[in-house]
Amino acid sequence: MLKTEELQINIGPQHPSTHGVFRMLVTVDGETLVDLKPVFGYLHRNHEQLGEVNTYLQNMPFTDRLDYFNSMVNNHAYARAVETLAGVEVPERAQYIRVIMDELSRILNHATAMGFMLGDMGAWQTALLWGMREREKILDMFEYVSGARMMCNYCRFGGVVRDIDDWFITELKKLMQGLPHYFDDFEGLLLNSEILLARARNIGVLPKELALAYSVTGPVLRGSGVAYDIRKAEPYAVYDRFKFKVPVGTVGDVYDRFLVRIAEMRESYKILEQAIEQLPDATGGFINPKVKQQSLKAPAGEAYARVESPKGELGFYLVSDGSGSAYRYKVRAPSFINLSSLADMCKGYSIADVVVILGSIDIVMGEVDR
Amino acid sequence: MTLSHLATEDVFVVERNDADFRAGQGMTKGLGIVFRKFRKALFGKPNSDRADTEGQFNVQYPEERLVLPEAYRNMPILLYDDATGHELCTSCFQCERICPPQVIHITQAKDPATGKPVPAAANFVLEYDTCMSCGYCAEVCPFDAIKMDHDFELSTGNHPELDVNYDRLLRPISYYEAIAPTMWSDVKEQAMKKLQNNIKRRPGAIGRDHGQKVKGGAAVAVAATPVAGAAPAAAAKPRGPVAAIGKNMPEEKVAKLISIRAANAAKRGGGDAGAAPVAEAAPIVETVVDTPAASAAPSGPVAAIGQNMSEDKRAKLEAIRAAKRAQRGE
């Protein structure tokens, strides 16, 4: 019997498939992975401490930089936390606008995240660029309403900064004509592709119990078969008015996470359809005019607000001492917590599967490191 | 073990493909779709309609540009009145206070006779390199003096140039009106009213003594109001050596480079700086003095399209923009 030795390898931090500056210290026995230690912090930029120095409003553009794919969702979650803390009411139209933006974000996030994962597998560019094309159309619309494609800074306390107009609605309807074609093409291209099945089926299995133990959320948790979605479990904004379903997987492998994300895009599409239909007219206003945005002071106390971000539960925890800025500010970032389950997901699989499994978690380092 | 608070009708299980034996039918189908897309991309029409998922979507960037929406924000600029040359900024410090990365630095102007503060800024420095383009300064400005520019081609090899001073921040109102017509018309009336009030309280050339303004009776000379503790205007700083012309370069390339540099120097107005070394052989080290006259010069509403663009390109761009506007129903 040949004596074999375990070998330690660094994957990253400068590696294209680590989705940012992320390092994995892996121990392999031959091709098989024995141990994995995630190393991060390369992108740390003191976000939470800054949030305690900044005033409430000043911190809003910094939340854009957490999960920079879904700045609209980050803004929504942060605005909700401050609104809960300060007891601010949000007009109905603003709630609907926020929901529209969130669901558009979800579509663009899943489209690109799955594209990146498939790129890691070797489906180089095609699937990714189709996702990018749809994302581009959505980003154009974000740019129109908020002024920026990615760093939207769109929400304000008690509403949004700018109302959506007829142009936006017409373009949104046009976009929605195209989206089902994209979903069909994407599924047709890859859903039953033999290569995808070989690389994704029964790879990176995260059992239900383990997923719950790691408090994993979002598509990763649902892929493991737990039907948990904050939009249903604790409906915020106006999510209780829409009819949609929560897709869940059965095995909890990479393939299930992939399927759950595609199904979620279709569900988001349904929510968008209903939101456009129900969108109240502009009489109620799109922002609460009573709120003093710049000099907002919250009464002493604490608040935690969470939303279902495309990556999982995104929560903001704020403690106020009655002054104009938070006494304590904490972000519960879904990427970070989902990433903690990586080692257990990877053990026992081949080293080539690690990048695929990492891609299926869908992390953004801006959010992991903060 | 399931979390039971979701009703069963709200949940569905995604359909897995668990077939073990496959003969490549999934891949064949995928390739069929790719081939269809490929054909459409080759022979299809270029399109920009949001409903399309097939065809060509490319924009040939420097020649073709997408229309930027009015709300687009890149870097802050300061406005002045075309007719009088008066700057709208009154140095109220609202933007300096709200700025999340704290990159705005304002010095208030003072009446040299009495030493009392005047509603105008003596200097206004903005660190473009640290600005996060959040747009709060434009949002909070009660005088509509600071607005977000649409020009995003700001790359430079010279980092200190990105600390932009008052002279280089100024743009005429007509420029802003051209890039954001409805947003300006919403605030125009009150902004002009407030400006008229402020002009009354500005003695001498204070409030219109920055930069080289295109129209109106603006004083060109920088009157450098002596204010205690104020940083001197960042003008007249040497821009450092421009890359020397290589020794191994062919003759004609050297000649071409020299002529380009001479033309650039002439355009900047500081003719002698660049023109002198033309006769000398390589290496040429060019030192450019960054005078306000050279670098400020906001060139009116066309600037949004780009100063160095050829005529036909500009016409084409205008046509594209008009079509977009029509499409949007403006």
Side-chain angles (χ1 to χ4, degrees), chain B residues 7-67:
Chain B
T8 352
E9 68 264 20
D10 285 342
V11 181
F12 74 96
V13 177
V14 287
E15 208 176 302
R16 280 171 70 92
N17 182 347
D18 279 322
D20 282 331
F21 176 75
R22 297 187 60 83
Q25 61 268 51
M27 263 176 76
T28 321
K29 192 187 171 199
L31 283 174
I33 296 171
V34 172
F35 185 72
R36 194 186 75 217
K37 296 264 175 187
F38 181 61
R39 211 185 52 206
K40 286 273 171 65
L42 272 188
F43 306 112
K45 275 182 285 178
N47 60 54
S48 57
D49 194 279
R50 229 167 282 272
D52 284 327
T53 51
E54 283 172 349
Q56 297 171 9
F57 289 88
N58 299 356
V59 176
Q60 303 295 330
Y61 161 59
E63 290 86 17
E64 282 172 41
R65 280 145 196 263
L66 296 172
V67 185

Side-chain angles (χ1 to χ4, degrees), chain B residues 216-287:
Chain B
V220 176
V222 182
T225 332
V227 183
K237 61 178 176 218
R239 208 191 269 168
V242 179
I245 293 174
K247 278 180 194 132
N248 304 327
M249 226 178 247
E251 292 263 312
E252 67 268 34
K253 205 167 178 186
V254 172
K256 205 173 166 192
L257 242 173
I258 289 174
S259 70
I260 290 170
R261 288 191 177 175
N264 282 345
K267 214 189 288 169
R268 275 196 296 266
D272 46 332
V278 172
E280 290 151 32
I284 294 172
V285 177
E286 193 183 12
T287 310

Side-chain angles (χ1 to χ4, degrees), chain A residues 330-356:
Chain A
K330 165 93 178 79
V331 186
R332 190 246 188 243
S335 293
F336 176 68
I337 290 164
N338 292 357
L339 188 61
S340 62
S341 63
L342 178 69
D344 275 325
M345 267 193 234
C346 291
K347 270 176 205 165
Y349 296 99
S350 146
I351 188 161
D353 292 329
V354 171
V355 284
V356 178

